[in-house]
Amino acid sequence: MTAPSSDMPLSATQLVHLAPDHPPHDRNPGMALDLDWVAGVQANTSAIERRAASLGGRRSVKKDHQAAWLLKAISLIDLTTLSGDDTPGRVQRLCAKARAPVRAETLHALGMEGLTVGAVCVYHDMVETAVRALEGTAIPVAAVSTGFPAGLSPWHLRVQEIRESVAAGAREIDIVISRRHVLTGNWQALYDEMAEMRAACGDAHVKAILATGELGTLRNVARASLICMMAGADFIKTSTGKEGVNATLPVSLTMIRAIRDYQDRTGIKVGYKPAGGISKAKDALLYLALMKDELGHPWLQPDLFRFGASSLLGDIERQLDHHLTGHYSAANRHAMG
Amino acid sequence: MTIKEIFDTMSYGPAPESNAEALDWLARHDHRFGHFINGSFTAPQALFDSTNPATGKVLAQVSQGSETSVDAAVAAARRAQPKWARLPAHKRAQYLYALARLVQKHARLLAVLETMDNGKPIRESRDIDLPLVARHFYYHAGLAQLAPTELPGMEPLGVCGAVIPWNFPLLMLAWKVAPALAAGNTVVLKPAEYTPLTALLFADISREAGLPPGVLNIVTGDGDTGAALVAHPGVDKIAFTGSTAVGKGIRRATAGTGKALTLELGGKSPYIVFDDADIDSAIEGLVDAIWFNGGQVCCAGSRLLVHEGVADHFHAKLKRRMDGLRIGDPLDKCIDVGAVVDPVQLASITRMVDASDGDKYTADTPLPSGCFYPPTLITGLSAASPLMQEEIFGPVLVSMTFRTPAEAVELANNTRYGLAATVWTENVNLALDIAPKLRAGVVWVNGTNMFDAAAGFGGVRESGFGREGGWEGLLAYLRPSGKAAALKPVAPLPAPKSATVDTLDRTAKLFIGGKQARPDGGYSQPVYGPKGALLGHVGIGNRKDIRNAVEAAQAAKGWGRATAHSRAQILFYIAENLSARAEEFAARLKAQTGSSGTAEVEAAIARLFSYAAWADKFDGAVKSVPIRGVALAMNEPCGVIGALCPDDAPLLGLISVMAPAIAMGNTCVLVPSQPFPLSATDLYQVLETSDLPAGVVNIVTGPHAELAKPLAGHMDIDAVWSFSSTDVSQIIEADSATNLKRTWVNHARARNWFAPDAEGRAFLRHATAVKTVWVPYGE
């Protein structure tokens, strides 16, 4: 599939309607860098913040719907460990949790046997361990790459790291962009970097981490989102989890509006992954409502939406327990990841 | 649905807010309410239903207020008022603080009851209405505390009658009750017929604040009850929020009675989107502009004006957003648009939309049966289309395109109304250029429907007059202390049996558009001195002369855009030139009135100096509103002011009226002293030599009783003042209803034009309108 030319006129019929069905989508082939489009990007911070702040009051899911939505959230989690003290044992335990994220009797009671998380996300050195631990499941292993989290190691090593993670069995690669290209407005460099990393991924899907907490403005977030999509990112992702500020609703709104514009212009769906700071079941529901309202049903599936989270699962398990028993639960009643 | 099925469809389920507490409260009152008068509920009588529009079920029955009930309420308010006004300010502040706290403590009950009675989504009553209500009482607790020291020389009006609409029942109560009580007035409030319940609950709760009996009274009923309150002679002020048609009726009904009046009426507020706007945010803003409370909002951004180059794209995105709106049970916490307030309103919306031309798009979203109307967009309309002009008061947005900023302003102002306006652009130069040019009381930049107790809210043109919120809102509940003496008519001196005639003819003309003009009718009248001298002739101006003068004043409106510094320079220059001819003017005063004119000329020069000084010092304000951003309160000129000048003090009186008007950037049509007009006609020679642009001041001599009517009724005049000794106050206030121009009349009360209070802030406030410009910021 070729990317449509960027100066294609926009019309009503081209805007993609948010239909509830979910056909498989094509990978993002990218498109030529369109700097006019980038220059025209607007993001009004106050207005975006107001929309984000009122969202929680506008949407509410209760009872069975809440349980179903929380189970959906589990299916969208990139269960993550990205610590210097990660060991094979730690990663195996995480993978076991990924296979069985909720107590079997709970899943049985909810009629949701077989539920797993969306993926397991680890450093390169843990990829093989994770792949082996997840054999027999459909759960992909994602590797953070390219000198994560700062992305400042030598360029050839960053590209090589992608290749080695893919060779080790990672089906998804979470790359970090060079923030300096955004901060200095070097869009061509950002585009080239992203395109080359995308190429290095081969068949593995690439998630572009923008490190939004270090981009200074929502306008920069919107611009960087567009550039990464033009250069072929399959997903755009907020954060490494290591910045001072990670996923926020205003940043998310900005990025998913960029995703919608990209789809309107090219017909291509790009995924979204907020990461870092989403630790409560209630937050997860809010994100799901945001995705549903702004982008539609396809973005409630793991091929287009993931939560980058480590402690979220525990809170969701407790909420599901409460749904079934009517009593508030405790962490020690649920298996560690 | 099984959990697995929901997991697959990810549908929103029901998320109902409980109404058990609200139903309990209604049951405790046996679902029947009397009025709240003198601190307790009267026996229910002449009952009518208050229904839940979302279900059609009757919630309670309330009493139809009769003249007798209004009378009882006004009497209770009257009895309570002196003691309430005499309380130390701090004590009144405590009561208002207690009301604020009680609103917070009962917030959910009030919100749920509001939603049940009105049909608005619980999200709005809970997250917007109730917090604003509490904020309003807190803010006015502060104003009550500070008013005596910050506004010395003012006193409360007395008993205030409030008539409020059904779209924000409790919030409008707060907007009327809080400032009235803070200023030391007592209140009789008539809630809307459709939505009386939260007012009754509030009254119930007010007893927990220990509010003295009679300070707040609620009389329920329909328009007849409201009319009885408006007509009641014991009421000192009417504060009305509602339709322009009813507002005009109230203006006529109160004309000449001396009742103070503020009107907050309808609108067809423009929502302007420039091509450099954050389009997605502008669309989200429209959700808050026209689908907030189902578009049943006086300041709803109901008239979309979008830059032509991005219009198709914008409309396409907007339609998609509309499809995502969820309409349904207002008590559901996951609903965007609730019920229309009443089947009558639903029928009205339906009728207006069905009769309209244009391309109609209805949101592709499930619509419950019953009293619901779908979010609707109508494109392809022209400025002449009825729906571009008429307020629909429903979830219907109409749209047009523009090409340039100037055209956007022109289209935005092409309306009878002037309540609010919204501007979306990322260009601060453009936003701050456009905001002052929009004829509206409130302008929102890159946001919409932002409200706060500290920021004035209110309209211009047929959207009414008066501000609610801020110090400017409090002033509408106060007046200068003391009662002025009656003003006796000042008669012209009679023609002598044989006049002393100077052989050199001196014919004073009218002064219109910077030129001396003969009166249209071709009639003149002689002016005699006290000793029988024929001092000259003046033209007898008629309605056509008024028309010509107003046209000249309109053409001179660039004066309002001149810098305040240059307006000050010209006022100084007028003073300088008058000073140069002081003796001549003094002599002329003496020739007309028989008394020495020296002091009056000196006072006139001093007054010109005062307003030259004020021209660049009547500053606006930056309001402390709870957003990251600024709310600017800008003092803007009213526009064209028509004034019947004092008959006494022929020179000083005219200057006292003219100088504040032009200092603030207005242009004016002045009808000088009827018995002593020659000082005014001499003055135009001073104006001609003082670099005052043509048309800024126009002088039409003639009989006040004749000229009051064409001035008051003229649609292109923005304010009319009268200090005439001919009692034309009733005529002016009644005829001002044609376009709801502001009025300031003397009700046959005298004013000492030499006194210090004959100049200053009161005059400047009448010569200006506060425009609140909200500019949120942040990158």
Side-chain angles (χ1 to χ4, degrees):
Chain A
M1 170 155 187
T2 54
S5 75
S6 57
D7 56 355
M8 178 182 284
L10 289 161
S11 72
T13 50
Q14 265 189 286
L15 294 189
V16 178
H17 234 79
L18 306 180
D21 50 55
H22 182 240
H25 69 272
D26 295 312
R27 269 193 88 179
N28 178 17
M31 56 177 278
L33 177 61
D34 181 348
L35 285 175
D36 286 344
W37 186 2
V38 176
V41 163
Q42 305 289 11
N44 187 285
T45 299
S46 280
I48 290 167
E49 287 175 351
R50 278 197 304 279
R51 162 72 173 147
S54 74
L55 189 71
R58 291 179 200 258
R59 289 293 176 258
S60 175
V61 243
K62 295 293 174 196
K63 300 191 189 305
D64 279 1
H65 282 79
Q66 186 179 91
W69 279 52
L70 291 175
L71 290 161
K72 175 63 74 174
I74 291 173
S75 76
L76 300 171
I77 290 177
D78 278 5
L79 201 60
T80 302
T81 184
L82 295 170
S83 297
D85 59 0
D86 284 344
T87 60
R90 159 81 184 119
V91 169
Q92 282 157 3
R93 197 174 73 206
L94 191 77
C95 291
K97 187 70 178 173
R99 289 165 168 265
V102 181
R103 263 203 322 258
E105 58 267 36
T106 305
L107 284 186
H108 178 71
L110 296 167
M112 289 294 298
E113 294 92 338
L115 181 77
T116 68
V117 301
V120 166
C121 182
V122 294
Y123 269 116
H124 169 80
D125 267 14
M126 295 295 146
V127 169
E128 283 184 19
T129 306
V131 167
R132 269 200 304 278
L134 292 171
E135 270 172 9
T137 73
I139 305 170
V141 172
V144 296
S145 193
T146 67
F148 183 95
L152 289 169
S153 51
W155 173 244
H156 69 275
L157 296 182
R158 279 188 266 160
V159 177
Q160 187 59 25
E161 187 183 2
I162 292 173
R163 294 199 181 100
E164 293 191 15
S165 288
V166 172
R171 282 153 58 192
E172 301 176 3
I173 301 293
D174 291 16
I175 62 96
V176 289
I177 64 163
S178 296
R179 280 72 114 181
R180 65 183 185 281
H181 293 331
V182 178
L183 297 174
T184 58
N186 195 348
W187 308 121
Q188 184 71 51
L190 180 66
Y191 178 87
D192 292 346
E193 170 186 278
M194 181 70 227
E196 195 170 338
M197 292 194 285
R198 157 80 155 87
C201 287
D203 288 338
H205 283 224
V206 58
K207 306 191 196 104
I209 302 175
L210 305 185
T212 55
E214 294 177 348
L215 298 186
T217 66
L218 290 181
R219 212 176 294 268
N220 274 348
V221 170
R223 288 172 177 146
S225 297
L226 270 188
I227 301 269
C228 287
M229 288 188 282
M230 288 173 184
D234 295 295
F235 260 73
I236 52 176
K237 173 179 170 184
T238 58
S239 325
T240 64
K242 312 290 185 189
E243 291 86 50
V245 179
N246 295 295
T248 65
L249 280 177
V251 158
S252 296
L253 191 54
T254 306
M255 291 174 71
I256 64 186
R257 284 176 173 176
I259 289 171
R260 189 169 58 200
D261 281 344
Y262 188 78
Q263 190 197 11
D264 286 345
R265 191 83 70 114
T266 67
I268 294 294
K269 295 181 175 75
V270 171
Y272 179 61
K273 179 177 173 184
I278 304 166
S279 57
K280 298 291 176 201
K282 199 174 175 182
D283 298 338
L285 294 175
L286 206 51
Y287 271 94
L288 292 178
L290 184 70
M291 301 311 292
K292 179 177 168 68
D293 283 8
E294 295 285 336
L295 288 173
H297 191 71
W299 275 267
L300 297 172
Q301 308 300 332
D303 57 342
L304 285 172
F305 183 69
R306 300 285 179 78
F307 288 108
S310 45
S311 59
L312 173 63
L313 180 54
D315 196 54
I316 292 179
E317 285 182 270
R318 287 195 294 280
Q319 296 306 319
L320 289 173
D321 237 21
H322 176 254
H323 175 75
L324 286 174
T325 68
H327 303 293
Y328 291 106
S329 190
N332 65 306
R333 306 177 68 86
H334 305 281
M336 280 174 67
Chain B
M1 260 176 126
T2 66
I3 287 184
K4 178 66 169 64
E5 282 163 351
I6 303 169
F7 180 90
D8 289 335
T9 60
M10 286 296 283
S11 57
Y12 289 115
E17 174 77 31
S18 166
N19 60 4
E21 298 286 328
L23 290 175
D24 276 357
W25 179 77
L26 291 170
R28 282 205 298 283
H29 289 266
D30 202 19
H31 300 92
R32 288 147 57 89
F33 292 88
H35 310 297
F36 184 79
I37 295 175
N38 206 33
S40 58
F41 284 101
T42 62
Q45 58 176 354
L47 295 172
F48 66 92
D49 293 342
S50 191
T51 55
N52 180 336
T55 62
K57 288 189 183 141
V58 176
L59 292 168
Q61 292 188 305
V62 299
S63 300
Q64 165 68 17
S66 61
E67 284 183 21
T68 315
S69 21
V70 168
D71 208 40
V74 172
R78 177 61 63 199
R79 278 193 305 277
Q81 199 270 331
K83 195 173 170 193
W84 177 251
R86 276 198 310 274
L87 285 179
H90 177 56
K91 195 71 195 165
R92 274 197 304 282
Q94 282 182 10
Y95 281 116
L96 286 160
Y97 175 73
L99 288 172
R101 297 290 290 140
L102 283 164
V103 165
Q104 286 185 316
K105 283 184 261 190
H106 298 292
R108 192 56 61 89
L109 175 62
L110 286 160
V112 169
L113 188 64
E114 192 80 305
T115 284
M116 290 167 73
D117 206 14
N118 164 279
K120 66 173 64 193
I122 184 70
R123 198 271 306 180
E124 295 179 14
S125 52
R126 179 196 64 205
D127 293 353
I128 298 169
D129 292 31
L130 261 295
L132 285 171
V133 169
R135 163 84 178 136
H136 221 74
F137 281 102
Y138 277 119
Y139 179 82
H140 283 86
L143 283 187
Q145 180 86 14
L146 299 178
T149 46
E150 292 299 305
L151 299 170
M154 304 294 275
E155 65 180 22
L157 298 166
V159 174
C160 296
V163 180
I164 59 170
W166 44 257
N167 55 350
F168 293 90
L170 189 65
L171 183 58
M172 290 303 104
L173 175 148
W175 281 21
K176 307 299 186 224
V177 171
L181 298 193
N185 305 278
T186 54
V187 174
V188 177
L189 177 132
K190 203 232 29 122
E193 178 186 2
Y194 295 152
T195 56
L197 297 180
T198 46
L200 295 167
L201 173 54
F202 181 85
D204 202 10
I205 287 170
S206 74
R207 296 189 283 197
E208 295 172 33
L211 201 65
V215 169
L216 171 66
N217 306 275
I218 310 280
V219 179
T220 52
D222 60 11
D224 289 344
T225 313
L229 180 58
V230 167
H232 198 287
V235 170
D236 299 298
K237 177 197 166 104
I238 294 294
F240 173 75
T241 297
S243 73
T244 291
V246 174
K248 288 184 175 184
I250 292 177
R251 173 67 290 183
R252 291 190 187 100
T254 55
T257 62
K259 284 176 190 162
L261 180 65
T262 44
L263 298 173
E264 202 273 273
L265 308 175
K268 191 77 188 179
S269 297
Y271 189 100
I272 307 169
V273 180
F274 286 98
D275 59 1
D276 68 344
D278 174 350
I279 297 292
D280 285 313
S281 289
I283 285 171
E284 210 55 56
L286 270 173
V287 172
D288 292 335
I290 187 64
W291 294 302
F292 173 54
N293 200 5
Q296 304 168 117
V297 181
C298 51
C299 55
S302 55
R303 201 159 46 104
L304 173 63
L305 302 173
V306 57
H307 223 142
E308 190 171 337
V310 297
D312 287 350
H313 184 54
F314 189 90
H315 288 145
K317 283 195 155 209
L318 175 59
K319 288 172 184 172
R320 181 167 61 191
R321 180 67 185 91
M322 288 166 67
D323 295 346
L325 293 170
R326 291 170 50 77
I327 308 161
D329 176 11
L331 276 175
D332 190 305
K333 290 179 278 192
C334 199
I335 281 297
D336 298 306
V337 181
V340 173
V341 71
D342 189 89
V344 170
Q345 182 63 15
L346 180 67
S348 160
I349 299 167
T350 308
R351 194 172 51 245
M352 290 181 85
V353 173
D354 288 353
S356 177
D357 54 337
D359 301 321
K360 297 168 198 167
Y361 182 79
T362 303
D364 183 12
T365 181
L367 184 72
S369 62
C371 201
F372 294 88
Y373 197 87
T376 301
L377 168 70
I378 309 181
T379 52
L381 294 178
S382 69
S385 305
L387 290 196
M388 269 289 163
Q389 301 291 338
E390 302 303 325
E391 186 174 36
I392 302 170
F393 230 63
V396 182
L397 178 68
V398 295
S399 179
M400 270 182 69
T401 61
F402 65 85
R403 296 167 297 172
T404 62
E407 189 172 68
V409 170
E410 208 173 345
L411 283 169
N413 290 341
N414 185 212
T415 169
R416 290 183 292 138
Y417 296 110
L419 190 49
T422 301
V423 181
W424 286 84
T425 169
E426 289 299 296
N427 180 346
V428 67
N429 301 302
L430 181 60
L432 295 182
D433 180 45
I434 295 285
K437 292 177 179 166
L438 295 169
R439 293 283 281 144
V442 184
V443 176
W444 293 297
V445 175
N446 292 330
T448 203
N449 278 343
M450 290 181 273
F451 308 102
D452 184 59
F457 180 90
V460 297
R461 295 179 169 174
E462 293 195 21
S463 294
F465 44 77
R467 294 291 174 266
E468 303 191 276
W471 290 100
E472 55 269 43
L474 187 70
L475 281 164
Y477 289 88
L478 291 164
R479 66 173 165 218
S481 307
K483 191 165 169 73
L487 176 61
K488 293 191 202 84
V490 183
L493 293 165
K497 280 189 184 135
S498 90
T500 318
V501 178
D502 190 338
T503 51
L504 180 62
D505 180 75
R506 292 178 71 177
T507 305
K509 298 209 174 59
L510 313 185
F511 184 60
I512 294 174
K515 293 194 177 71
Q516 300 180 24
R518 289 195 192 88
D520 169 85
Y523 289 98
S524 296
Q525 72 177 48
V527 180
Y528 297 104
K531 289 178 184 162
L534 175 63
L535 302 176
H537 289 82
V538 290
I540 301 179
N542 64 15
R543 60 201 313 272
K544 290 191 178 167
D545 296 308
I546 294 291
R547 175 200 64 192
N548 295 344
V550 172
E551 276 176 22
Q554 281 291 347
K557 271 179 140 178
W559 175 248
R561 293 188 292 276
T563 65
H565 171 72
S566 50
R567 290 199 298 268
Q569 293 299 108
I570 286 172
L571 279 158
F572 279 129
Y573 197 18
I574 294 171
E576 183 186 327
N577 287 328
L578 179 60
S579 176
R581 295 170 61 175
E583 283 179 27
E584 175 199 334
F585 273 83
R588 179 68 113 175
L589 285 166
K590 182 159 190 198
Q592 292 177 94
T593 66
S595 329
S596 164
T598 312
E600 183 171 341
V601 175
E602 278 311 306
I605 293 167
R607 191 134 295 162
L608 286 164
F609 259 67
S610 286
Y611 288 110
W614 269 119
D616 55 3
K617 294 172 192 68
F618 190 55
D619 297 326
V622 176
K623 296 302 186 83
S624 303
V625 293
I627 63 163
R628 187 186 61 223
V630 288
L632 308 168
M634 299 168 58
N635 292 323
E636 295 195 334
C638 294
V640 175
I641 296 177
L644 298 170
C645 299
D647 289 317
D648 48 335
L651 177 67
L652 176 61
L654 180 130
I655 297 268
S656 300
V657 170
M658 176 196 84
I662 66 174
M664 293 297 101
N666 300 282
T667 58
C668 53
V669 176
L670 305 177
V671 180
S673 168
Q674 186 175 332
F676 312 122
L678 295 177
S679 297
T681 52
D682 289 350
L683 186 72
Y684 64 61
Q685 294 175 357
V686 172
L687 301 179
E688 279 175 330
T689 55
S690 304
D691 294 344
L692 185 72
V696 173
V697 173
N698 304 277
I699 297 172
V700 178
T701 50
H704 289 185
E706 296 293 316
L707 296 179
K709 247 182 126 56
L711 275 177
H714 200 300
M715 302 278 193
D716 221 3
I717 291 184
D718 302 288
V720 171
W721 301 353
S722 173
F723 302 100
S724 174
S725 69
T726 307
D727 188 7
V728 290
S729 298
Q730 195 277 336
I731 295 169
I732 288 176
E733 288 187 335
D735 285 12
S736 71
T738 50
N739 67 338
L740 285 169
K741 59 177 69 65
R742 284 168 69 184
T743 57
W744 188 23
V745 296
N746 61 1
H747 295 294
R749 293 284 150 191
R751 180 186 278 279
N752 176 2
W753 293 99
F754 290 83
D757 69 357
E759 69 177 39
R761 287 185 181 273
F763 284 77
L764 297 167
R765 279 196 291 268
H766 281 284
T768 52
V770 176
K771 176 186 277 177
T772 307
V773 181
W774 291 73
V775 190
Y777 50 66
E779 177 67 48

